[in-house]
Amino acid sequence: MLHHRVGEAELRDLEPWHAEEFSGLFQSEGHDLYEWLAWEHFENYEACKSFLEGFAKGRGEGSRRLFGLWLDGALVGGTLFPTINARTGIAEIGVFLTATARGRGIVTQAVRAMLDHAFDDLGMRRVEWRCSPVNQPSRAIPDKLGFTHEGTLRKVFKVRESYLDLEVWSLLREEWAAGSRTPLVQEEPGEDLAE
């Protein structure tokens, strides 16, 4: 099982067998998470399982990847590559995290590890970050990690019944500082982290 420590949290693949835990996260924290996510109905186990199966298939195809973040044994969020395009060398990174887990640097550390993975292991030449201009915690991450704000797409991101603006940030391989690299995933021999 793939496993990486990011500060106080564990970063590992979010698999279809985590559907009940994933659904529970949205049942208890969805009111906060849905403010910035276009995802809907994740309180439903079958919808969660289908979503996670889609990412498992995408991982096999090399087109996307989803990781969960566990804090003290509880799923508190995740990081993802919603798109990985090997032909163009462009990937996008996204995150979601419960309010109780914020402010600990978990997301920044997880994104650093994902950037290393994108550039070193996947051979990407460009990584993008997209977020609403009013989502200050989200837009602070690319700014802190050296991304360039390229512009704002107006009214393109539908969340519930509203269309939001979406900022586009990017980081190029040559811009990524070599001194802050950490491997994304490490094999932990003898540990079954799926349980």
Side-chain angles (χ1 to χ4, degrees):
M1 191 72 206
L2 298 175
H3 172 250
H4 184 74
R5 197 94 178 134
V6 287
E8 304 170 57
E10 295 175 66
L11 176 72
R12 60 186 194 235
D13 286 305
L14 195 51
E15 301 282 4
W17 61 78
H18 292 120
E20 188 172 330
E21 191 175 9
F22 192 55
S23 175
L25 173 70
F26 279 86
Q27 287 172 21
S28 63
E29 303 291 338
H31 61 281
D32 179 51
L33 297 173
Y34 285 138
E35 184 176 356
W36 307 114
L37 296 175
W39 308 339
E40 296 185 44
H41 310 299
F42 278 1
E43 296 83 5
N44 176 291
Y45 170 83
E46 289 303 322
C48 286
K49 186 174 180 193
S50 176
F51 180 80
L52 296 176
E53 286 171 344
F55 267 92
K57 181 180 179 197
R59 183 180 67 221
E61 297 169 346
S63 62
R64 56 187 178 158
R65 187 112 187 233
L66 176 61
F67 299 93
L69 285 163
W70 280 265
L71 185 62
D72 299 324
L75 181 66
V76 294
T79 62
L80 61 152
F81 291 113
T83 59
I84 301 170
N85 189 323
R87 184 182 61 77
T88 63
I90 300 172
E92 180 186 347
I93 291 180
V95 299
F96 58 101
L97 193 68
T98 62
T100 56
R102 294 177 193 151
R104 302 173 189 226
I106 294 169
V107 167
T108 302
Q109 292 178 61
V111 171
R112 277 191 177 120
M114 291 183 72
L115 288 167
D116 288 341
H117 182 57
F119 293 130
D120 296 341
D121 303 328
L122 302 179
M124 296 292 107
R125 62 176 186 80
R126 172 186 167 98
V127 172
E128 296 180 349
W129 183 280
R130 295 171 180 241
C131 63
S132 167
V134 295
N135 186 347
Q136 292 301 317
S138 183
R139 72 186 309 272
I141 300 296
D143 191 40
K144 185 185 303 184
L145 293 176
F147 283 66
T148 296
H149 177 221
E150 295 184 333
T152 303
L153 305 173
R154 298 182 303 151
K155 306 290 182 195
V156 297
F157 187 61
K158 187 174 183 184
V159 177
R160 267 25 79 222
E161 300 305 315
S162 301
Y163 283 89
L164 305 178
D165 292 350
L166 203 58
E167 289 185 347
V168 178
W169 296 73
S170 72
L171 184 67
L172 304 179
R173 181 184 326 180
E174 59 268 23
E175 296 170 336
W176 183 229
S180 61
R181 297 175 178 249
T182 54
L184 174 62
V185 289
Q186 302 167 1
E187 289 292 339
E188 296 289 333
E191 286 191 30
D192 182 5
L193 299 173
E195 298 296 323

